[in-house]
């Protein structure tokens, strides 16, 4: 099941072009790319001083109020014209509009999906430059900072919890101002996707419980070049392919206004989920519970985050490409586990990892480190446990025993919530920050012991899916696993991996006994 999700998840995209389209794109791109980028840059730079003029001379208190009078109608129309000129320059010769945009008092919020890339900002031209929400860090960027100031955008710092609270307060204040502030436009997915599915909507646009108007973005042309996702084209590649087309088609479709029920007003998550399903149905794509969490696209399972592309899967792939058979990888993982048990530091550099894994070049080790962390270091416990988990080298009991021993911080045979967070992060290969729900489920079974953890993963209706949908899910692709004994390994079990049938039998036996 995880392998299927890897093929279909919405965070990866590659432009599919025929040989003829590629040749035509190269020829047109050589001519059109420099001309269009030059024109777009000129219009973009013209927007800079005009954006600054709109609020020039106003005090901080005045800047905190919506712009009125001549400052609004004069500069607003100039900026709208220049914005349209930018997108016209890069190939959006016309924007087709379908449906009617709601008036401000009918729907204070416009929610737009799918969010495909930075070129989606053309929707601002079709909607009259409504307010947006942006990262506060963007204010330091040339031109972009001035445009955010012009827009009187709501700014949020993702690193500051207080900033998030202030952002929520500002959004609610503006959208419930009875028309004092302009309409607000938000991309509730919060990140870009390939448009083949809608990911879980963030609740920000729905916190105030006011009516919203769903807005769909369609790019019907072929090839589809505008997608800029977590894996795929770079932003420069997206610009090249888009400007190399004679024109790029886009349709902005306004759906009917959605007025929330009393239940939805009291539950923004439910409101967001219902709008997601409505828009997915209109787009004829699935509504998923996928989200982008930090650097990883994940599927939420309870409050756990399961990576759609597990770092362990990519690690196995890299090791196999490097010539290591499954039997060799298993031996290496056992050796790594031994080194972790020896009491040495488990945080190692790429150079050390190169030696431990028996790699011929450092580049592969650096790639493996990048799958788990932001620098050229990695926690060996995460590597060996997550790789063993997805490969099936070790049994469930062996994995739980190993990980429990390592993350039982005070060695009292009981887990704290922090211990559980580290433990689950090591098993699935990415950090787990929200384990309160899982820890509560664990403690309701009695003391948070190793046996209780096994029972939770085997029996709980939510967390047993970690087994059936993630752990031991990949199988052994090259069929070379030969059942090499695990050896002593400081008390690690020497049990061969249980099959799905064996897990099911164990479940049935536990149910019968209970």
């Amino acid at each position: 099941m995880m392998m299927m999700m890897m093929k279909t998840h919405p965070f990866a995209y590659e432009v599919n072009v025929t040989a003829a389209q590629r040749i035509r794109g190269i020829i047109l791109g050589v001519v059109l790319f420099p001309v269009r980028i030059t024109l777009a840059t000129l219009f973009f730079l013209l927007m800079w001083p005009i954006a600054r003029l709109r609020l020039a001379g106003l005090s901080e208190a005045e800047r905190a109020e919506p712009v009125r009078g001549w400052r609004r109608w004069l500069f607003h129309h100039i900026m709208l014209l220049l914005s349209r000129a930018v997108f016209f320059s890069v190939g959006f010769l016309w924007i087709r509009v379908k449906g009617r945009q709601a008036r401000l008092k009918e729907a204070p919020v416009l929610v737009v999906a799918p969010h495909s890339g930075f070129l989606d900002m053309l929707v601002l031209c079709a909607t009259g430059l409504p307010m947006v929400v942006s990262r506060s860090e963007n204010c330091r960027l040339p031109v972009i900072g001035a445009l955010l100031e012009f827009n009187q955008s709501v700014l949020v710092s993702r690193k500051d919890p207080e900033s998030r609270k202030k952002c929520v307060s500002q959004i609610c204040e503006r959208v419930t101002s009875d028309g004092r502030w302009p309409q607000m436009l938000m991309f509730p997915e919060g990140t870009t996707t390939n448009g083949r599915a809608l990911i879980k909507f963030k609740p920000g646009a729905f916190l105030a419980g006011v009516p919203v108007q769903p807005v769909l973005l369609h790019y019907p042309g072929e090839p589809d070049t505008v997608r800029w996702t977590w894996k795929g084209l770079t932003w420069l590649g997206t610009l090249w392919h888009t400007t190399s087309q004679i024109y790029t088609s886009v349709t902005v479709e306004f759906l009917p206004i959605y007025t929330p029920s009393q239940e939805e007003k009291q539950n923004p998550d439910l409101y967001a989920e219902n709008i997601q399903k409505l828009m997915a149905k209109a787009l004829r794509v699935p509504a998923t519970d996928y989200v982008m969490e930090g650097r990883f696209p994940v599927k939420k399972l309870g409050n756990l985050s399961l990576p759609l592309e597990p770092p362990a899967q990519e690690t196995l792939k890299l090791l196999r490409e490097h010539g290591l058979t499954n039997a060799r990888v298993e031996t290496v993982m056992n050796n790594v586990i031994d080194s972790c048990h020896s009491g040495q530091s488990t945080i190692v550099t790429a150079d050390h990892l190169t030696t431990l894994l028996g790699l011929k070049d450092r580049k592969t080790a650096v790639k493996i480190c990048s799958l788990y962390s932001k620098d050229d270091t990695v926690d060996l416990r995460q590597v060996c446990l997550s790789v063993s988990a997805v490969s099936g080298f070790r049994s469930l009991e062996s994995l739980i025993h190993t990980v429990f021993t390592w993350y039982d911080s005070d060695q009292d045979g009981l887990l704290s919530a922090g211990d559980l967070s580290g433990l689950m992060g090591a098993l699935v290969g990415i950090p787990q920050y929200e384990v309160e729900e899982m820890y509560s489920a664990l403690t309701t079974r009695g003391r948070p012991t190793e046996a209780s953890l096994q029972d939770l993963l085997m029996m709980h209706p939510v967390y047993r899916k970690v087994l059936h949908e993630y752990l031991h899910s990949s199988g052994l692709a090259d069929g070379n696993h030969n059942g090499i004994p695990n050896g002593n390994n400081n008390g690690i079990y020497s049990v061969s991996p249980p099959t799905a049938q064996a897990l099911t039998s164990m479940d049935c036996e536990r149910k019968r006994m209970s």
Side-chain angles (χ1 to χ4, degrees):
M1 183 169 180
M2 283 300 300
M3 292 300 289
M4 178 182 69
M5 286 194 293
M6 286 170 60
K7 294 177 182 177
T8 60
H9 78 69
F11 298 101
Y13 184 74
E14 293 291 344
V15 176
N16 294 317
V17 292
T18 63
Q21 287 173 327
R22 188 177 299 278
I23 293 170
R24 186 185 68 177
I26 292 172
I27 295 172
L28 290 176
V30 169
V31 177
L32 293 178
F33 180 79
V35 173
R36 284 178 162 172
I37 294 302
T38 300
L39 283 174
T41 302
L42 287 174
F43 287 125
F44 202 57
L45 291 175
L46 278 174
M47 296 166 74
W48 194 348
I50 295 171
R52 292 298 189 196
L53 283 174
R54 191 187 201 195
L55 300 183
L58 297 182
S59 66
E60 284 300 317
E62 289 171 322
R63 286 168 177 253
E65 294 295 319
V67 172
R68 298 292 183 197
W70 65 271
R71 287 178 182 271
R72 175 165 178 79
W73 64 261
L74 175 60
F75 293 114
H76 186 87
H77 286 89
I78 294 173
M79 194 64 74
L80 184 59
L81 181 63
L82 287 173
S83 299
R84 184 66 189 94
V86 169
F87 288 103
F88 184 90
S89 298
V90 296
F92 295 94
L93 305 186
W94 55 86
I95 300 175
R96 184 184 174 210
V97 176
K98 189 175 178 182
R100 178 187 72 85
Q101 181 177 351
R103 292 187 293 272
L104 171 58
K105 291 193 176 182
E106 291 178 314
V109 181
L110 305 174
V111 290
V112 183
H115 189 13
S116 302
F118 56 91
L119 294 172
D120 287 346
M121 298 312 292
L122 63 84
V123 73
L124 293 172
C125 303
T127 52
L129 301 184
M131 295 181 301
V132 298
V133 179
S134 179
R135 293 187 302 162
S136 57
E137 293 83 357
N138 291 337
C139 289
R140 295 193 290 269
L141 298 175
V143 187
I144 299 295
L147 295 178
L148 292 174
E149 179 185 284
F150 171 91
N151 185 259
Q152 293 189 288
S153 305
V154 176
L155 302 175
V156 58
S157 172
R158 296 179 179 178
K159 300 177 182 178
D160 182 4
E162 290 302 316
S163 175
R164 294 186 182 189
K165 292 179 183 177
K166 183 179 178 182
C167 174
V168 169
S169 175
Q170 278 189 302
I171 291 173
C172 291
E173 177 190 347
R174 293 190 183 191
V175 301
T176 58
S177 66
D178 196 29
R180 198 166 66 89
W181 284 92
Q183 269 182 326
M184 181 169 284
L185 182 146
M186 300 179 75
F187 292 94
E189 290 178 292
T191 190
T192 57
T193 71
N194 58 26
R196 294 172 185 165
L198 289 187
I199 64 174
K200 187 178 179 68
F201 280 8
K202 296 183 182 298
F206 312 97
L207 290 169
V210 297
V212 303
Q213 183 173 35
V215 182
L216 306 180
L217 275 182
H218 304 276
Y219 297 98
E222 289 293 340
D224 183 350
T225 63
V226 301
R227 316 290 176 179
W228 182 47
T229 57
W230 173 74
K231 181 175 287 188
L233 287 178
T234 63
W235 67 270
L236 188 58
T238 299
L239 268 182
W240 167 268
H241 282 287
T242 301
T243 55
S244 298
Q245 308 301 311
I246 296 175
Y247 66 89
T248 302
S249 300
V250 60
T251 299
V252 177
E253 180 180 1
F254 295 99
L255 296 183
I257 299 164
Y258 188 100
T259 303
S261 65
Q262 195 59 40
E263 184 182 7
E264 289 170 326
K265 289 179 181 180
Q266 295 172 352
N267 187 346
D269 290 317
L270 175 65
Y271 190 2
E273 182 181 343
N274 289 341
I275 293 293
Q276 180 205 20
K277 290 177 179 176
L278 182 150
M279 296 180 76
K281 183 177 180 181
L283 289 164
R284 297 182 181 178
V285 299
T288 71
D289 59 355
Y290 301 163
V291 296
M292 181 65 77
E293 194 170 87
R295 300 184 302 116
F296 300 99
V298 303
K299 175 184 179 182
K300 300 300 286 188
L301 182 63
N303 278 351
L304 293 181
S305 302
L306 300 186
L308 299 186
E309 294 195 1
Q313 295 277 14
E314 186 63 23
T315 299
L316 277 171
K317 179 181 175 184
L318 288 170
L319 293 176
R320 286 164 180 162
E321 288 176 353
H322 204 74
L324 276 70
T325 64
N326 281 320
R328 174 58 184 159
V329 172
E330 183 176 11
T331 301
V332 168
M333 289 302 110
N334 287 337
N335 291 338
V336 172
I337 288 175
D338 283 340
S339 71
C340 291
H341 276 294
S342 67
Q344 302 174 13
S345 172
T346 60
I347 306 298
V348 299
T349 63
D351 292 320
H352 191 181
L353 189 65
T354 302
T355 302
L356 279 174
L357 299 181
L359 302 174
K360 296 177 181 177
D361 66 85
R362 184 174 180 273
K363 291 182 180 178
T364 303
V366 170
K367 287 181 181 178
I368 292 173
C369 288
S370 70
L371 297 172
Y372 294 89
S373 66
K374 294 181 179 180
D375 53 30
D376 289 354
T377 65
V378 69
D379 189 333
L380 283 176
R381 296 175 298 179
Q382 276 194 310
V383 176
C384 63
L385 286 171
S386 61
V387 168
S388 297
V390 301
S391 64
F393 289 153
R394 290 175 174 269
S395 69
L396 171 67
E397 291 88 345
S398 172
L399 286 171
I400 292 178
H401 179 77
T402 303
V403 76
F404 192 97
T405 302
W406 285 348
Y407 286 90
D408 176 13
S409 55
D410 50 11
Q411 299 299 306
D412 62 352
L414 302 174
L415 292 179
S416 67
D419 295 338
L420 182 63
S421 175
L423 182 153
M424 293 306 300
L427 278 179
V428 303
I430 65 170
Q432 300 296 317
Y433 301 111
E434 300 176 359
V435 296
E436 294 83 2
E437 184 179 298
M438 186 178 187
Y439 191 70
S440 176
L442 177 63
T443 53
T444 57
R445 286 170 147 69
R447 287 154 60 86
T449 63
E450 180 181 335
S452 297
L453 180 62
Q454 278 205 44
D455 185 70
L456 180 73
L457 291 174
M458 294 295 293
M459 299 299 297
H460 192 280
V462 172
Y463 300 111
R464 64 180 292 170
K465 291 182 180 178
V466 176
L467 297 180
H468 298 293
E469 295 185 10
Y470 188 83
L471 301 183
H472 293 163
S473 64
S474 70
L476 297 167
D478 66 13
N480 290 336
H481 179 63
N482 56 11
I484 294 176
N486 290 332
N488 185 14
N489 289 320
N490 294 301
I492 306 303
Y493 297 118
S494 302
V495 186
S496 58
T499 62
Q501 183 177 5
L503 284 172
T504 304
S505 300
M506 292 167 72
D507 288 348
C508 293
E509 180 63 18
R510 286 181 179 234
K511 290 177 182 177
R512 185 186 66 78
M513 293 177 68
S514 60

